């Protein structure tokens, strides 16, 4: 496996960064999780745009232009001969000293890893997920904007752990006002009375790229209204269907929440249609990794 670090590719065993990197010392950096399907990178420009927006949010300059970033991602996929992949882009403050002062970090560190991992096994798409509400709340805008995909994921990791220890797969995080915000690594939606709900960006969520795609698919293909409004756990328990969205999860039904069965306890027909539409889109659109010229027919 070839890993990109600051303009060069290294074998996995040789791919190292400094212990003085502020990404390690302080979680001082940003990242993206991107997927490639069938030789194309899904929503590449959107992920790169969000990475730069996150970097701007923490006053971090990226050594590459967005176009160069896209090319570095594609090149890493090509060197690893991948057609289906999970791509992790990590941009850190770089090497500094042991203090907090970011001015000591002269140059950002950029890492691109392309791997074949599967975040959720296929059985979850048939059975659906169990979610549990974490006692930890989503980091509010007042502390660290949840819109920044920063390397500070401890809040989310601890929330996920409370759910996993209780036998569930994902955690629900509420915002400080007590409304549903999102999951540890996914956005959340519900269906009730032919209307789809998802928390608004200002309620304290990461603005997911899959979330955006799901909203568009619901409105354009399934012809239902999507309401971006805060809602309570009680509303979620009473939903006809609940689903989560994320680059890793795609669109995945949730069938049990804090011990309450949602619908009939299986992913509902609406979620199943949406999952299928999303799959179609991921396999048919995106930035081509390889220069695939159609083979000339020999008539
Ligand atoms: N909310 C949070 C907090 C996230 O970290 C999403 C929503 C979904 O966003 P996208 O753009 O992917 O639709 C994420 C995505 C994992 C994992 O292991 C998930 C994410 C990051 C790292 C790992 O499931 N985040």
């Amino acid at each position: 496996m070839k890993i990109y670090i600051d303009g060069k590719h290294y074998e996995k065993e040789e791919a190292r960064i400094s212990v003085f990197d502020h990404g390690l010392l302080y979680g001082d950096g940003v990242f993206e999780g991107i997927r490639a399907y069938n030789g194309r990178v899904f929503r590449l420009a959107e992920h790169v745009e969000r990475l730069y927006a996150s970097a701007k949010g923490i006053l971090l300059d990226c050594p590459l232009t967005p176009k160069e970033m896209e090319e570095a991602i594609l090149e890493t996929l090509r060197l690893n001969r991948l057609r289906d992949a999970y791509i992790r882009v990590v941009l850190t403050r770089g090497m500094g000293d042991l203090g907090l002062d970011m001015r000591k970090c002269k140059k950002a560190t950029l890492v691109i890893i392309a791997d074949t991992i599967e975040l959720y096994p296929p059985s979850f798409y048939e059975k659906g997920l169990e979610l549990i509400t974490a006692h930890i709340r989503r980091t509010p805008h007042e502390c660290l904007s949840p819109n920044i995909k920063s390397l500070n994921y401890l809040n989310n990791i601890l929330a996920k752990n409370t759910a996993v220890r209780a036998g569930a797969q994902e955690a629900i995080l509420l915002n400080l006002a007590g409304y549903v915000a999102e999951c540890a690594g996914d956005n959340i939606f519900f269906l009730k009375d032919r209307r789809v709900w998802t928390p608004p960006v200002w309620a304290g969520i990461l603005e997911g790229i899959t979330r955006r795609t799901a909203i568009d698919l619901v409105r354009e293909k399934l012809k239902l209204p999507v309401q971006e409004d805060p809602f309570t756990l009680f509303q979620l328990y009473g939903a006809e269907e609940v689903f989560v969205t994320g680059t890793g999860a795609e669109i995945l039904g949730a069938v049990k929440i804090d011990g309450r069965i949602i619908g009939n306890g299986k992913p509902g027909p609406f979620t199943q249609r949406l999952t299928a539409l999303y799959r179609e889109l991921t396999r048919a659109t995106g930035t081509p990794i390889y220069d695939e010229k159609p083979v000339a027919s020999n008539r």
Side-chain angles (χ1 to χ4, degrees), residues 5 74 166 278:
I5 306 176
L74 293 168
Y278 184 79

Side-chain angles (χ1 to χ4, degrees), residues 72-263:
I73 293 167
L74 293 168
E75 183 60 19
T76 303
L77 287 162
R78 285 194 283 264
L79 276 175
N80 288 291
R81 300 176 198 286
L82 290 166
R83 294 181 59 81
D84 292 273
Y86 184 81
I87 303 142
R88 175 61 53 91
V89 183
V90 185
L91 179 66
T92 80
R93 189 79 62 190
M95 239 173 101
D97 61 19
L98 294 177
L100 294 179
D101 191 346
M102 62 168 76
R103 291 172 307 180
K104 300 282 172 59
C105 304
K106 298 297 179 202
K107 199 170 77 47
T109 302
L110 175 62
V111 176
I112 304 171
I113 309 168
D115 203 352
T116 51
I117 59 156
E118 184 180 76
L119 295 177
Y120 287 97
S123 62
F124 283 130
Y125 295 85
E126 287 148 36
K127 289 188 300 190
L129 292 184
E130 178 176 354
L131 309 179
I132 286 179
T133 304
H135 59 281
I136 288 180
R137 300 293 175 96
R138 185 66 168 107
T139 316
H141 292 278
E142 294 89 325
C143 297
L144 174 64
S145 171
N147 305 143
I148 297 173
K149 202 161 164 62
S150 86
L151 293 180
N152 263 286
Y153 253 59
L154 260 186
N155 205 60
N156 302 49
I157 286 169
L158 292 174
K160 174 138 184 166
N161 180 259
T162 55
V164 168
R165 266 188 299 129
Q169 290 82 42
E170 246 292 31
I172 295 173
L173 287 96
L174 307 179
N175 61 24
L176 291 186
Y179 293 99
V180 173
E182 61 176 334
C183 295
D186 299 291
N187 292 111
I188 191 161
F189 288 73
F190 78 82
L191 169 77
K192 175 86 175 179
D193 299 331
R194 299 192 56 74
R195 183 172 284 276
V196 172
W197 293 65
T198 196
V201 174
W202 58 262
I205 62 167
L206 180 78
E207 192 171 1
I209 288 163
T210 320
R211 172 185 181 277
R212 181 78 259 155
T213 305
I215 291 173
D216 293 345
L217 286 173
V218 171
R219 287 184 179 149
E220 288 160 24
K221 302 278 185 201
L222 299 175
K223 310 284 184 204
L224 288 191
V226 181
Q227 192 160 341
E228 292 180 62
D229 273 322
F231 54 83
T232 64
L233 275 175
F234 182 76
Q235 282 175 284
L236 203 57
Y237 299 154
E240 289 152 21
E241 298 188 25
V242 174
F243 56 93
V244 304
T245 67
T247 300
E250 302 185 320
I251 293 175
L252 181 47
V255 296
K256 196 174 179 191
I257 302 177
D258 298 333
R260 282 81 164 175
I261 303 291
I262 305 302

Side-chain angles (χ1 to χ4, degrees), residues 276-291:
L277 284 171
Y278 184 79
R279 290 246 160 104
E280 259 173 52
L281 195 66
T282 56
R283 277 138 189 90
T285 61
T287 307
I289 304 167
Y290 303 94
D291 189 18

Side-chain angles (χ1 to χ4, degrees), residues 22-40:
H22 278 211
L24 173 71
L25 290 175
Y26 299 116
D28 187 356
V30 295
F31 75 105
E32 275 299 317
I34 311 172
R35 273 176 87 167
Y37 298 89
N38 195 24
R40 292 160 182 268

